[in-house]
């Protein structure tokens, strides 16, 4: 039976690519209001796909972009909630793209390695379609799915899932399931499948420091007038000590130590600064000095400035003291770190460093707790076997450095554990120019979900 399903995925691959390319042409950038219409088009597109498979599907409004919900119940069988997102990150800097971001194509990265290139190719349209194609193949060959399925595809994940927690709470009854499935994470490497068992949380703030009531001549006022760029730079610099630790008071409250047996498994994966940082042109780990690279990216909390702006940034020079400067700063959280407490500690940290005659605004972009999933979930055990059969290699359980804010709400609001299986690779350039998704991730990803669905239904 599974062979027929897998065979169908193989023979229909070109059509599957054409379907994905249609979706990739839609410019569903969720953080830029100018693209709200495109977000809605992307939602409508998924609804059409789901309806074509016999799902009962509709759009539902949230405070930002609509979500798509599709149902295909199966009485007597387990029921899963599949989640993904149709929104994508902005494309800038556009000039660094080798081909236009919303004109998907197949490129050859190296001899024999074909990749789908477009914004969203991996994150998350390509990944979502691995699941949808698996459903399509089951329905085409067997006439039905092995489990009941509710599909929830949102359009604001890249914007901190704005509006979704409230929507989830208001639509609990429609989302009843035994557990959730998510395809928005990565593999360990090209040959090694993985199941993600933790996601980092996130606190994202922005500070705007205002000094004089206008830009000033730096000869006339320099020396006496406060420079807001210096104030912002000091705040950013003060956030780490010389050992790479974050200096916010209370920041490490609730950070757990990784169990030794899990750490041993991670260490056996052999990640080194050379292999991990080498691929992006670096060599020296910048995190906490007493932690290995794998801990730094999977199980330790971080603080990063994601953007900093102020003063004259055009061509040539201009002798000016700017009236304001700003920085976007985010924290990745692990374990039981409390986003509210960290956010408050950050505010106090900033206010202490702003001189009395300056003003500071502190904006809020997102807050989400970290999540840790049970290593012994029954669905995880079944998925492991299914992945091993597809890839010919035992999957590894890894922690993800990234965040998927809504997964914590699946647990808190819906009471669901989540199985996170994805086929992204470290060189996919997600959120960067020239995002791609390996054809093998797309093809074998669909085959993997077909097997996982079969295993979950048996
Ligand atoms: N798919 C990613 C999360 C991810 C990245 C998981 C890498 C595993 C490996 C997701 O789309 C994402 O980018 N999340 C944002 C959340 C933020 C915008 C609130 C993130 O992690 O920065
Ligand atoms: Mn994603
Ligand atoms: Mn993303």
């Amino acid at each position: 039976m599974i062979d027929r399903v897998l065979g169908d995925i193989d023979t229909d691959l070109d059509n599957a690519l054409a379907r994905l390319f249609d979706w990739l042409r839609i410019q569903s950038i969720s953080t830029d209001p100018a693209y709200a219409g495109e977000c809605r088009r992307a939602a409508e597109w998924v609804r059409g796909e789901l309806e074509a498979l016999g799902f009962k599907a509709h759009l539902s409004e949230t405070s930002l972009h609509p979500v798509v919900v599709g149902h295909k119940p199966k009485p007597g069988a387990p029921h899963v909630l599949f989640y993904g997102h149709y929104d994508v990150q902005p494309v800038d800097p556009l000039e660094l793209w080798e081909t236009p971001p919303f004109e998907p194509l197949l490129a050859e990265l190296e001899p024999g390695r074909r990749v789908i290139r477009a914004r969203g190719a991996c994150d998350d349209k390509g990944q979502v379609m691995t699941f949808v194609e698996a459903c399509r193949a089951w329905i085409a060959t067997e006439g039905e799915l092995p489990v009941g399925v509710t599909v929830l595809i949102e359009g604001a994940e890249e914007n901190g899932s704005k509006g979704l927690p409230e929507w989830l709470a208001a639509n609990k009854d429609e989302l009843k399931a035994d557990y959730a499935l998510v395809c928005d994470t990565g593999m360990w490497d090209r040959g090694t499948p993985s199941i993600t068992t933790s996601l980092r949380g996130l606190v994202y703030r922005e500070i705007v420091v205002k000094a004089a009531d206008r830009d000033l001549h730096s000869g006339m006022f320099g020396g006496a007038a406060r420079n807001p760029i210096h104030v912002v730079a000091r705040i950013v610099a003060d956030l780490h000590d010389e050992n790479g630790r974050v200096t916010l008071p209370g920041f490490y409250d609730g950070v757990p130590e990784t169990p030794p047996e899990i750490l041993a498994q991670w260490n056996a994966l052999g990640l080194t600064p050379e292999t991990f940082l080498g691929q992006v042109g670096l060599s020296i780990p910048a995190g906490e000095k007493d932690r290995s690279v794998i801990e730094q990216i999977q199980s330790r909390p971080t603080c990063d400035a994601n953007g900093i702006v102020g003063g004259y940034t055009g061509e040539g020079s201009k002798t000016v003291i700017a009236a304001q400067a700003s920085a976007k700063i985010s924290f990745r959280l692990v374990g039981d770190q409390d986003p509210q407490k960290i956010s408050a500690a950050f505010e106090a940290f900033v206010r202490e460093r702003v001189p009395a005659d300056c003003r500071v605004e502190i904006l809020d972009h997102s807050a989400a707790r970290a999540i840790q999933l049970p290593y012994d979930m029954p669905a995880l055990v079944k998925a492991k076997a299914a992945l091993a059969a597809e890839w010919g290699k035992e999957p590894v359980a890894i922690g993800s450095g990234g965040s998927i804010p809504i997964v914590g709400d699946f647990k808190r609001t819906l009471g669901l554990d989540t199985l996170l299986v994805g086929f992204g690779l470290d060189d996919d350039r997600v959120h960067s120019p020239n995002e791609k998704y390996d054809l093998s991730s797309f093809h074998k990803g669909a085959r993997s979900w077909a097997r996982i669905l079969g295993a979950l239904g048996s």
Side-chain angles (χ1 to χ4, degrees):
M1 196 157 74
I2 189 68
D3 290 334
R4 279 208 302 269
V5 180
L6 298 177
D8 189 76
I9 290 175
D10 297 347
T11 52
D12 208 49
L13 184 60
D14 285 346
N15 294 325
L17 276 175
R19 286 187 281 271
L20 171 60
F21 281 20
D22 275 347
W23 200 19
L24 289 171
R25 285 189 195 97
I26 304 176
Q27 310 187 15
S28 46
I29 301 169
S30 59
T31 52
D32 185 342
Y35 293 86
E38 287 288 279
C39 288
R40 190 166 293 272
R41 279 222 298 141
E44 290 287 1
W45 188 90
V46 194
R47 177 179 55 177
E49 277 310 285
L50 293 174
E51 280 174 347
L53 299 184
F55 280 74
K56 225 170 149 259
H58 65 280
L59 262 54
S60 182
E61 301 304 319
T62 73
S63 63
L64 197 55
H65 305 298
V67 298
V68 188
V69 194
H71 298 285
K72 206 163 183 359
K74 179 164 184 178
H79 197 92
V80 302
L81 172 67
F82 178 83
Y83 162 89
H85 60 96
Y86 65 74
D87 64 317
V88 300
Q89 285 273 331
V91 296
D92 60 288
L94 188 58
E95 64 279 9
L96 295 185
W97 284 79
E98 282 170 43
T99 50
F102 294 107
E103 293 175 23
L105 47 77
L106 277 182
E108 189 157 53
L109 207 61
E110 55 198 52
R113 186 171 172 202
R114 288 197 294 166
V115 301
I116 302 159
R117 184 161 67 225
R119 173 54 90 226
C122 168
D123 188 10
D124 185 29
K125 290 170 175 170
Q127 301 243 62
V128 167
M129 289 310 282
T130 61
F131 182 83
V132 173
E133 292 298 338
C135 291
R136 194 201 49 70
W138 266 100
I139 292 164
T141 54
E142 305 303 317
E144 60 173 8
L145 293 169
V147 292
V149 177
T150 296
V151 172
L152 169 65
I153 310 293
E154 73 147 315
E157 197 275 343
E158 302 292 9
N159 200 351
S161 291
K162 209 166 271 170
L164 195 59
E166 298 76 15
W167 183 90
L168 213 62
N171 292 274
K172 269 193 210 169
D173 291 344
E174 204 187 331
L175 303 171
K176 288 212 174 82
D178 295 300
Y179 41 85
L181 306 178
V182 173
C183 190
D184 195 20
T185 51
M187 312 220 309
W188 173 251
D189 61 30
R190 262 213 289 162
T192 316
S194 54
I195 299 181
T196 296
T197 48
S198 61
L199 290 167
R200 286 198 283 202
L202 188 69
V203 166
Y204 200 129
R205 309 287 316 248
E206 177 169 354
I207 59 174
V208 183
V209 173
K210 295 183 176 164
D213 62 6
R214 75 204 73 163
D215 284 3
L216 304 170
H217 189 295
S218 67
M220 290 168 68
F221 287 91
R226 183 72 59 178
N227 188 325
I229 297 176
H230 300 185
V231 176
V232 167
R234 166 64 50 80
I235 291 169
V236 171
D238 277 356
L239 280 164
H240 292 91
D241 70 14
E242 66 286 0
N243 294 315
R245 274 177 74 88
V246 176
T247 54
L248 270 195
F251 184 70
Y252 290 92
D253 293 354
V255 175
E257 278 305 323
T258 302
E261 64 277 14
I262 303 290
L263 210 51
Q265 285 174 30
W266 289 355
N267 288 335
L269 292 168
L271 188 86
T272 64
E274 293 71 39
T275 55
F276 184 69
L277 292 174
Q279 63 180 335
V280 295
L282 291 171
S283 56
I284 306 165
E288 294 167 276
K289 287 211 170 108
D290 56 346
R291 302 287 171 170
S292 63
V293 177
I294 196 156
E295 283 183 280
Q296 289 178 0
I297 57 173
Q298 294 196 359
S299 61
R300 300 298 297 172
T302 68
C303 166
D304 271 294
N306 300 111
I308 183 163
V309 178
Y312 182 66
T313 57
E315 289 290 310
S317 61
K318 180 182 181 194
T319 48
V320 71
I321 297 174
Q324 79 168 54
S326 64
K328 296 181 195 279
I329 295 170
S330 65
F331 300 87
R332 297 278 174 178
L333 313 185
V334 303
D336 286 323
Q337 277 180 300
D338 180 346
Q340 265 68 49
K341 265 174 64 183
I342 286 169
S343 221
F346 175 70
E347 280 202 42
F349 186 95
V350 171
R351 291 191 195 283
E352 259 167 40
R353 287 165 175 77
V354 176
D357 63 346
C358 296
R359 284 150 299 141
V360 62
E361 266 178 73
I362 309 180
L363 315 176
D364 221 334
H365 290 299
S366 44
R369 299 187 80 96
I371 62 149
Q372 173 69 55
L373 297 153
Y375 290 103
D376 54 356
M377 268 173 80
L380 187 147
V381 176
K382 288 181 175 177
K384 261 191 167 166
L387 286 168
E390 174 62 26
W391 295 85
K393 194 164 177 192
E394 277 300 312
V396 294
I398 53 173
S400 167
S403 309
I404 306 175
I406 205 62
V407 174
D409 298 81
F410 288 162
K411 184 71 188 179
R412 271 192 304 287
T413 307
L414 305 178
L416 305 182
D417 283 321
T418 300
L419 176 66
L420 294 146
V421 178
F423 308 97
L425 298 173
D426 283 343
D427 68 356
D428 279 347
R429 298 173 187 262
V430 289
H431 297 199
S432 301
N434 302 309
E435 178 176 348
K436 60 87 176 159
Y437 196 41
D438 279 49
L439 188 58
S440 66
S441 287
F442 182 60
H443 182 195
K444 288 176 78 64
R447 289 174 52 102
S448 298
W449 280 118
R451 290 182 192 269
I452 293 172
L453 285 172
L456 296 178
S458 67

